[in-house]
C-alpha cells in the first residue's frame, strides 16, 4: 500500500489522484490530495429545511424568525414558492438602524439607552420587500447536484450566508455558511 507523508494511506486503486496547488504555510491552499474514488459532497448532502418569507411579510416577523432560530438570513419566495431573493439578517438591521447612526457611529453612542434598545420598533408596519437590498445581485440559488466548491464560490460571489437549493419540484431548502464550513473543515 502506497502512502504519502502527512496523509492517510491510499488504496491500491488510488493511483488516480489529483494533486491540488501547494500554498504558503497557513494559507487556505495546501498539500491536499483528492481521492477520486470518494464520492463528492453535493448540495443535497448539506441541505436543511429552511424557512421562507414573501416580500409582503412583516419584516418584524422576519426579524423574530431570524432571532428565534439563530438564522443568518431568510429565503424570500414568490407566490409559487420559488426563491426571488435572500434576506440576510444584516439587511433587517440596515432597515431598523437610523441612517444617521450608520453614517456616523459616534451619533449612535449619544442616543440614550432606552431609545437605543428600542430601535427595532421602527420595523413596525414595514415589509420584507422594504428590507431587501436595493442592488440586486446574482440570486444565490443552485441545484441539488452542486459541489461544495460550487456552493462556496456562489456564496462568496453573492456575499450571501446561505444558498437556496431548488429542483424541478421547487425549493428544497438551503445550504448555510455554517454547514458548508463545518463540512470543509472536517474533511
Amino acid at each position: 500500500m502506497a502512502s504519502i507523508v502527512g496523509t492517510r494511506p491510499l488504496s491500491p486503486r488510488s493511483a488516480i489522484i489529483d494533486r491540488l496547488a501547494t500554498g504558503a504555510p497557513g494559507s487556505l491552499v495546501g498539500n491536499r490530495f483528492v481521492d477520486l474514488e470518494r464520492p463528492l459532497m453535493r448540495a443535497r448532502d448539506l441541505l436543511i429545511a429552511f424557512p421562507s418569507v414573501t416580500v409582503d411579510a412583516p419584516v418584524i416577523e422576519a426579524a423574530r424568525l431570524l432571532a428565534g432560530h439563530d438564522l443568518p438570513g431568510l429565503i424570500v419566495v414568490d407566490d409559487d414558492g420559488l426563491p426571488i431573493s435572500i434576506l440576510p439578517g444584516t439587511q433587517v438591521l440596515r432597515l431598523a438602524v437610523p441612517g444617521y447612526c450608520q453614517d456616523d457611529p459616534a451619533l449612535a453612542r449619544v442616543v440614550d439607552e432606552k431609545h437605543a434598545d428600542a430601535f427595532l420598533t421602527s420595523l413596525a408596519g414595514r415589509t420584507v420587500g422594504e428590507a431587501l437590498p436595493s442592488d440586486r445581485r446574482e440570486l444565490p440559488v443552485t441545484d441539488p447536484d452542486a459541489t461544495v466548491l460550487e456552493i462556496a464560490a456562489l456564496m462568496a460571489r453573492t456575499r450571501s450566508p446561505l444558498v437556496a437549493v431548488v429542483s424541478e419540484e421547487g425549493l428544497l431548502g438551503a445550504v448555510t455558511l455554517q454547514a458548508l464550513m463545518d463540512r470543509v473543515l472536517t474533511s
Side-chain angles (χ1 to χ4, degrees):
M1 215 180 222
S3 68
I4 298 172
V5 177
T7 64
R8 62 181 172 75
L10 301 173
S11 67
R13 280 196 60 210
S14 293
I16 305 173
I17 296 176
D18 277 347
R19 181 176 175 135
L20 300 178
T22 301
S27 73
L28 293 177
V29 178
N31 285 329
R32 294 289 309 257
F33 292 87
V34 177
D35 184 346
L36 295 179
E37 293 176 359
R38 182 175 161 200
L40 289 175
M41 179 69 62
R42 302 288 180 171
R44 71 169 98 33
D45 303 317
L46 298 171
L47 180 65
I48 59 170
F50 211 82
S52 61
V53 294
T54 63
V55 292
D56 298 327
V59 74
I60 192 72
E61 293 304 318
R64 286 186 180 113
L65 192 56
L66 287 164
H69 296 283
D70 199 22
L71 301 172
L74 295 170
I75 300 171
V76 182
V77 296
D78 62 16
D79 293 334
D80 296 324
L82 295 174
I84 57 171
S85 189
I86 298 295
L87 176 64
T90 53
Q91 280 301 124
V92 174
L93 287 178
R94 286 184 63 81
L95 186 63
V97 174
Y100 63 87
C101 291
Q102 292 179 47
D103 295 340
D104 188 353
L107 292 175
R109 184 174 294 266
V110 299
V111 175
D112 65 79
E113 191 172 334
K114 178 182 174 186
H115 288 93
D117 288 348
F119 72 92
L120 284 178
T121 60
S122 67
L123 295 177
R126 317 258 333 243
T127 66
V128 165
E130 293 176 73
L132 291 176
S134 57
D135 61 332
R136 296 292 176 137
R137 297 183 190 133
E138 175 186 1
L139 186 59
V141 173
T142 193
D143 64 90
D145 292 324
T147 66
V148 169
L149 185 56
E150 289 172 314
I151 298 165
L154 182 58
M155 281 181 179
R157 190 171 58 249
T158 60
R159 298 179 184 166
S160 177
L162 58 110
V163 170
V165 180
V166 177
S167 72
E168 292 176 5
E169 292 82 39
L171 178 64
L172 300 176
V175 175
T176 64
L177 176 62
Q178 182 175 348
L180 181 76
M181 295 301 282
D182 286 347
R183 167 64 178 120
V184 172
L185 293 174
T186 59
S187 60

